[in-house]
Amino acid sequence: MPEITRKIMPTCYAAAVLMLLAATWVSPAIADKKKKDTNPPAPQGPPQIDISNAVWPQPPAIARLRYLDYFSAEKKPVKQTQVKRKSWMDRMAGVDPNDAAAKRAGLNPRFELGTPYGLAVDSKGFLYVADTKVGGVFIFNPESRDTGFIKHGVDARFGRVFGLAIDEADRLFVSDGQYNHVMVFSPQHKLEAQFGEGVMNDPAGLAIDEENRFFYVANTESDQVLVYDADYFKLLRKIGTAGKNHTLTTPGDFSKPTNVAVDKDGNLYVSDTYNDRIEVFDAEGAFIREFGKNGDGPGQFARPKGIAIDCDGHVWVADAMLNRLQVFTPEGDLRLVVGGFGMLPGEFEALADVYIDKNNRVFTSEQFMGRVQMFRYITNKEAQVEYDKRQAAAKGAAQTPAQSDASKPADKAQPPAATNPAPAATTPPPAATTPATPKPAAPATPAGTTATAKPS
């Protein structure tokens, strides 16, 4: 072999070794870069919902209902736990070592709504929710969100709990459709009494007439409303005809009545569920009127259930199949429609009950969602204040151009004021100054965004 060849060979071998070493050093970085490039982007958190405009009807109409909050479970305890770093084996197995630690720390709620139905609020503002699936009564503090529970097998023996009512002394009444009676609890949630055995048949909604001392029970399977003495729980009378297998449609009779409510005059309102109507009776049980019929149009029903009366006398009806709230005058004239099927604020899934407390908070229960939503009713007086405010603003805006023109010096080049109309922009649109809500044009749509009447 020539001498020059022997000198070049070691040099080539050394260069090859250096290139191999360089490749081994660079390849992890390249592989890591490729690995990072192929990783999918980190998932984003759930979208944030702006509830500031969750009002009904929508602007520019004056709002009559505002969304506040919802309840579905006990709030999760806040407990600091040390975060354990994932090992390479955890990453390969797809296991998070913090999952077990979180469970041991008690971060899962102990109480969670299943199928909530009846609603009531006591003098402290605490919300009571009857849960048919769980078989007990939840107690929520809307301010702190602390949760209590009247538990089956501990505080009472529950079957299928439906209706709730609370009197002025904070006694809690719970209807049980399995054991066919109503239970009475003290303000300390101790069982005091029960009544209705042998008379009740699948009792549901409850209502108390504090003035006349009547206690009403929607006795669903017997197609009647039972009237008891609110102090001694003695049966006084029955409204409706029993034994007709839910076939009666005559005024004053029922087909599976589910809920009841009483207005400030002592009149009784009944959700006649299978007849898709609301019936009204006086305090003596005499039939007064009815409104509603089967359908999905404005003012119509498809299984009305929950019913409540607000401080202005409006009648609120929860429709289980149409998943909407409809608000009527006592005579049955429609004023507002809220809802539709969905999970967003103001939407419902299997809407069951509606309740309005003395602070004008409106609560609704949903069976499919296991959720109770809380709203704020804007009263007639509050709406009137807003209406007057808008009227004054519109009047002031209309007068401003004339005053500014009068203060200007005369200008020969300017046309006379009488022939110079005010700019159109200074006159607000009629809808901006109108609070009322006439009948809506379509179901599940807030009524009357261009109304011109005063609050009613």
Side-chain angles (χ1 to χ4, degrees):
M1 182 180 294
E3 185 67 22
I4 188 170
T5 304
R6 288 197 296 269
K7 291 181 178 180
I8 292 174
M9 289 294 288
T11 305
C12 292
Y13 291 148
V17 170
L18 289 173
M19 291 178 65
L20 182 61
L21 289 173
T24 58
W25 291 337
V26 175
S27 59
I30 296 174
D32 188 58
K33 182 178 179 181
K34 290 182 177 179
K35 183 178 179 182
K36 290 181 180 179
D37 292 342
T38 56
N39 286 339
Q44 297 181 353
Q48 298 296 321
I49 300 176
D50 181 14
I51 64 171
S52 60
N53 291 323
V55 296
W56 296 267
Q58 293 293 304
I62 292 178
R64 302 307 304 268
L65 187 68
R66 182 179 300 278
Y67 176 81
L68 296 179
D69 204 349
Y70 78 96
F71 308 91
S72 62
E74 180 188 39
K75 69 176 183 179
K76 294 184 179 182
V78 178
K79 187 172 182 179
Q80 299 294 332
T81 58
Q82 186 176 1
V83 179
K84 184 179 179 181
R85 188 175 182 181
K86 288 185 179 181
S87 67
W88 66 271
M89 295 182 66
D90 292 331
R91 290 196 296 269
M92 289 184 64
V95 174
D96 188 348
N98 297 298
D99 288 346
K103 292 179 180 179
R104 289 194 301 270
L107 298 182
N108 291 328
R110 293 177 298 162
F111 305 142
E112 189 170 4
L113 292 175
T115 54
Y117 195 103
L119 304 166
V121 176
D122 65 14
S123 63
K124 302 181 184 66
F126 292 172
L127 169 67
Y128 292 69
V129 183
D131 196 306
T132 306
K133 182 178 180 180
V134 174
V137 180
F138 288 81
I139 307 171
F140 292 98
N141 183 336
E143 301 299 329
S144 66
R145 301 188 68 86
D146 290 332
T147 308
F149 195 54
I150 301 177
K151 191 175 182 180
H152 167 68
V154 176
D155 303 297
R157 180 170 175 256
F158 293 123
R160 290 183 292 113
V161 292
F162 287 112
L164 297 181
I166 296 179
D167 65 11
E168 291 181 343
D170 273 350
R171 290 187 303 175
L172 172 67
F173 299 81
V174 183
S175 67
D176 193 312
Q178 179 175 333
Y179 296 120
N180 294 315
H181 61 208
V182 170
M183 289 170 283
V184 186
F185 293 85
S186 70
Q188 293 74 36
H189 308 147
K190 302 297 182 182
L191 183 62
E192 288 185 338
Q194 61 188 41
F195 61 95
E197 291 88 349
V199 179
M200 296 183 185
N201 188 4
D202 197 18
L206 308 174
I208 303 174
D209 182 349
E210 295 284 359
E211 183 69 24
N212 296 306
R213 305 306 300 159
F214 294 145
F215 186 89
Y216 294 99
V217 181
N219 205 29
T220 303
E221 282 300 319
S222 69
D223 296 330
Q224 291 179 315
V225 173
L226 307 179
V227 187
Y228 286 84
D229 182 290
D231 298 309
Y232 303 102
F233 313 130
K234 177 183 177 182
L235 181 62
L236 301 178
R237 57 179 172 270
K238 302 177 182 180
I239 304 174
T241 304
K244 299 300 181 180
N245 198 27
H246 322 306
T247 59
L248 295 180
T249 60
T250 51
D253 287 316
F254 310 106
S255 178
K256 285 205 169 186
T258 54
N259 286 274
V260 287
V262 179
D263 67 14
K264 60 184 178 181
D265 296 322
N267 295 318
L268 172 68
Y269 294 75
V270 183
S271 296
D272 190 7
T273 301
Y274 272 28
N275 284 327
D276 296 313
R277 66 184 178 184
I278 302 300
E279 295 195 72
V280 188
F281 301 82
D282 65 18
E284 299 302 320
F287 176 80
I288 299 176
R289 60 181 171 270
E290 65 179 72
F291 59 87
K293 63 179 181 179
N294 178 261
D296 60 2
Q300 298 175 342
F301 301 116
R303 298 298 183 264
K305 287 190 175 181
I307 188 167
I309 313 294
D310 65 33
C311 63
D312 294 318
H314 298 118
V315 184
W316 298 61
V317 183
D319 196 303
M321 292 191 67
L322 297 179
N323 288 295
R324 69 185 185 187
L325 284 173
Q326 295 190 94
V327 185
F328 301 86
T329 65
E331 294 73 29
D333 296 326
L334 184 63
R335 284 293 179 264
L336 182 66
V337 180
V338 177
F341 185 84
M343 301 172 61
L344 296 176
E347 296 178 339
F348 309 103
E349 294 188 12
L351 180 62
D353 199 10
V354 57
Y355 182 89
I356 304 175
D357 71 3
K358 294 181 179 180
N359 295 317
N360 298 313
R361 296 181 301 182
V362 180
F363 298 91
T364 59
S365 59
E366 300 164 69
Q367 303 252 291
F368 287 173
M369 287 289 293
R371 174 177 69 170
V372 172
Q373 296 190 62
M374 179 172 66
F375 306 84
R376 170 65 159 79
Y377 166 61
I378 288 86
T379 65
N380 282 352
K381 184 178 180 180
E382 292 169 327
Q384 185 66 52
V385 170
E386 178 64 20
Y387 176 79
D388 294 340
K389 179 181 176 181
R390 295 187 183 189
Q391 290 284 55
K395 185 177 179 181
Q399 292 176 350
T400 300
Q403 293 175 354
S404 61
D405 290 343
S407 62
K408 290 181 179 180
D411 189 352
K412 294 182 180 180
Q414 185 179 0
T419 60
N420 187 19
T426 61
T427 303
T433 63
T434 56
T437 54
K439 295 183 179 180
T445 302
T449 57
T450 58
T452 57
K454 291 185 177 182
S456 61

